[in-house]
Amino acid sequence: MAFAPDRVTTITFDSYSTIVDVDAAVQALTDHVDDPEPVSTLWRLRSLEYTLVANYLDAYQPFYEMNRDALQYALDVFDVDITEDERDEVLAVYHELEVFDDVRDGIERLHEGGYDCYVVSNGDPDMLSSMVAHAGIDDLLADTISADEVETFKPAAELYRHAAARTGTPIDEIVHVTAGWYDVMGAKHAGMQGAWVDRKGRPWEAVAGTPDLTVESFYELANALGV
């Protein structure tokens, strides 16, 4: 289905990998790991896998705890022996990840163009609060919506439907903007339009359909919405 900008009244944004760069977390490992790249990659992969498994096993924990367990697993796999305090110091990088350059100006254009903007994220409320403050976008967002509110992670339809209810918007008037392919498809499955932010020139995952819109930045999203 082609993107329908005229239907959009509300915009929801993913947080991690969309507003802030989770790949920057590798920097936090450099003081503790000789080769931080594979540890960081496994950490992120397991963090996402744990949320997916938790949805099916009714084993919800706040995302910060899931992320801590995933980090510990990655450290164990690569035989990295650090203290709990050092591990938690690495984990704390999620409160101040690098913000993508287009975020502030891009959301500002959308906000000034009359769109209500929200963050919808697996992150728990404390994580989202610090991320929004660090990104300097608190004045541009109507609110943040956490998976913790329904104790269900993406891409379950329940979270997107909850987000629509929280925004007071018919779900088909929302475009969800995210760098995560599974997040795009989760939003579409629930009834939103899905916009994929492909900043890194990666191929689309050929599972369960395609995005309604693909952009390289929030600027392109604003252009597509005519603001």
Side-chain angles (χ1 to χ4, degrees):
M1 182 183 296
F3 181 55
D6 292 345
R7 281 201 349 241
V8 177
T9 59
T10 295
I11 303 170
T12 57
F13 294 90
D14 175 47
S15 53
Y16 303 106
S17 293
T18 304
I19 291 174
V20 292
D21 187 1
V22 295
D23 290 342
V26 71
Q27 297 301 320
L29 289 163
T30 55
D31 291 337
H32 307 285
V33 183
D34 292 334
D35 187 6
E37 284 282 355
V39 179
S40 179
T41 299
L42 183 59
W43 172 18
R44 178 63 175 163
L45 178 62
R46 281 295 185 270
S47 182
L48 293 174
E49 288 177 345
Y50 290 175
T51 62
L52 297 174
V53 171
N55 278 356
Y56 283 96
L57 301 185
D58 296 324
Y60 177 84
Q61 297 183 80
F63 184 70
Y64 201 78
E65 296 177 27
M66 292 279 189
N67 210 28
R68 180 196 61 212
D69 292 345
L71 172 58
Q72 186 61 60
Y73 175 78
L75 293 169
D76 290 344
V77 165
F78 289 96
D79 294 321
V80 178
D81 185 17
I82 61 177
T83 67
E84 286 190 16
D85 286 345
E86 289 172 326
R87 180 203 64 194
D88 291 343
E89 180 182 321
V90 172
L91 186 64
V93 73
Y94 264 74
H95 289 294
E96 49 185 29
L97 289 168
E98 182 179 342
V99 183
F100 290 109
D101 292 341
D102 57 300
V103 166
R104 168 75 200 188
D105 292 343
I107 296 179
E108 189 169 35
R109 278 177 60 184
L110 296 162
H111 175 74
E112 291 178 352
Y115 292 100
D116 292 329
C117 299
Y118 294 79
V119 166
V120 177
S121 173
N122 279 346
D124 49 69
D126 286 347
M127 293 178 73
L128 296 185
S129 179
S130 60
M131 184 212 69
V132 167
H134 181 64
I137 55 174
D138 48 336
D139 59 319
L140 303 176
L141 297 177
D143 208 349
T144 60
I145 301 166
S146 168
D148 197 58
E149 297 172 21
V150 290
E151 298 190 348
T152 303
F153 293 112
K154 299 173 179 179
E158 181 181 354
L159 177 54
Y160 304 99
R161 291 169 182 158
H162 170 72
R166 283 268 273 105
T167 68
T169 309
I171 199 164
D172 63 352
E173 294 181 12
I174 298 173
V175 59
H176 184 61
V177 182
T178 175
W181 70 270
Y182 64 93
D183 195 12
V184 171
M185 300 318 300
K188 289 189 61 170
H189 176 66
M192 298 176 175
Q193 294 192 78
W196 184 42
V197 184
D198 178 26
R199 292 191 178 91
K200 300 184 178 181
R202 292 175 175 166
W204 175 251
E205 307 273 356
V207 177
T210 57
D212 295 299
L213 176 70
T214 298
V215 297
E216 293 182 1
S217 70
F218 287 3
Y219 303 139
E220 285 190 18
L221 173 65
N223 291 342
L225 288 167
V227 295

